[in-house]
Amino acid sequence: MKYITTLTFAILLNSAAFGQLGVSATYRANDAPDWQYAGAAQGPQGLLSESHFGFGVDYWLPMKAYRIDFLPEINFQRTSNAIELADFTGQAEVQLSNTWLSLFLNANIYFLDLEGDCDCPTFSKSGGFLQKGLFLQASPGASWIQSKVENEGIAADSDDIAFSAAVGLGLDIGLSDILTLTPLAGYRYYLPTRWESLGSEAFITSPSGDAGIRSEESSIRQFYAGLRLGLRLDQR
């Protein structure tokens, strides 16, 4: 994953003077159904933070014949959460955090204008606003997730590679010939991912060694919404 990230950054920097770079910020709502702690008196608690923000940098690669744009993206996310444990010594608070570094291979499909003019952004285009700017986004991805558990001075780290796929909708709004603002929203599904440090001594909550968690492995579902700002560097 580190080699993929380094190569992608090199491509982005080398190509910056000849195309369109984009930066994005998204709000993400999480659901990891099997990462649950069931030992507390107040009922099951989710171990993954319910929501967080993500930030991305992408590079625009349009097709020549059709309005299908490819935007490989490096995305960074960080989540943090705290839960109360009902352990055999009383109450204890566990701090949990996850750092995500992802490569998303976004493909924007302008399904209302597939054979239209491919010269984005939409500010200087003729035709209907929705027809020119609305797109369907498909986005396979791979994420390196580093996870940490801390409990009263005991800390444990683990990491895993998670593969995912997303589908969403976006709308390009041309602010000028060099700037495009794009609101977008979608859903990303991560294949079952392992959080090994949940099984460490930082999470042992009974004399028998029972950690009180449902599973160290879970799928992850994310609903997200946000904004992308595109900068067209080859326009004069």
Side-chain angles (χ1 to χ4, degrees):
M1 186 65 186
K2 294 180 180 178
Y3 294 110
I4 294 174
T5 302
T6 302
L7 178 60
T8 304
F9 269 122
I11 293 172
L12 291 177
L13 291 173
N14 185 59
S15 305
F18 306 103
Q20 179 177 324
L21 292 179
V23 293
S24 61
T26 50
Y27 174 83
R28 296 175 179 261
N30 302 312
D31 178 28
D34 294 323
W35 284 344
Q36 298 279 336
Y37 171 67
Q42 65 267 41
Q45 300 178 74
L47 302 180
L48 183 66
S49 174
E50 292 183 356
S51 63
H52 66 284
F53 288 94
F55 303 93
V57 178
D58 64 61
Y59 179 67
W60 176 58
L61 298 168
M63 288 185 64
K64 297 298 183 182
Y66 298 97
R67 289 202 64 205
I68 300 176
D69 295 348
F70 298 99
L71 297 95
E73 174 188 348
I74 294 293
N75 186 278
F76 176 81
Q77 305 169 43
R78 193 175 192 281
T79 66
S80 61
N81 194 19
I83 66 168
E84 293 291 333
L85 297 182
D87 66 11
F88 57 93
T89 63
Q91 290 294 120
E93 184 177 79
V94 172
Q95 301 290 331
L96 306 116
S97 62
N98 311 86
T99 301
W100 314 54
L101 185 61
S102 305
L103 174 62
F104 297 149
L105 301 178
N106 306 318
N108 295 351
I109 305 167
Y110 295 82
F111 54 93
L112 298 179
D113 191 39
L114 270 179
E115 298 184 0
D117 175 17
C118 298
D119 187 28
C120 295
T122 60
F123 179 79
S124 58
K125 288 178 174 294
S126 60
F129 177 66
L130 287 178
Q131 177 186 356
K132 295 296 185 180
L134 186 65
F135 61 84
L136 172 71
Q137 184 177 87
S139 176
S143 302
W144 173 65
I145 305 177
Q146 184 183 53
S147 304
K148 189 172 185 177
V149 177
E150 294 181 272
N151 180 5
E152 296 185 346
I154 302 173
D157 296 317
S158 60
D159 57 68
D160 196 14
I161 299 295
F163 296 98
S164 65
V167 61
L169 284 175
L171 179 65
D172 287 340
I173 303 171
L175 303 179
S176 71
D177 282 344
I178 64 171
L179 289 175
T180 305
L181 183 66
T182 304
L184 52 90
Y187 170 81
R188 180 169 293 276
Y189 177 80
Y190 290 82
L191 294 174
T193 303
R194 191 165 184 81
W195 188 344
E196 290 187 359
S197 52
L198 292 179
S200 71
E201 61 178 347
F203 228 115
I204 293 176
T205 59
S206 72
S208 64
D210 180 15
I213 61 170
R214 179 177 297 177
S215 176
E216 294 176 24
E217 186 174 87
S218 180
S219 60
I220 305 170
R221 303 155 192 174
Q222 280 187 350
F223 288 96
Y224 61 88
L227 291 172
R228 174 186 181 271
L229 182 66
L231 176 63
R232 185 74 181 271
L233 298 172
D234 63 345
Q235 292 292 306
R236 296 181 180 178

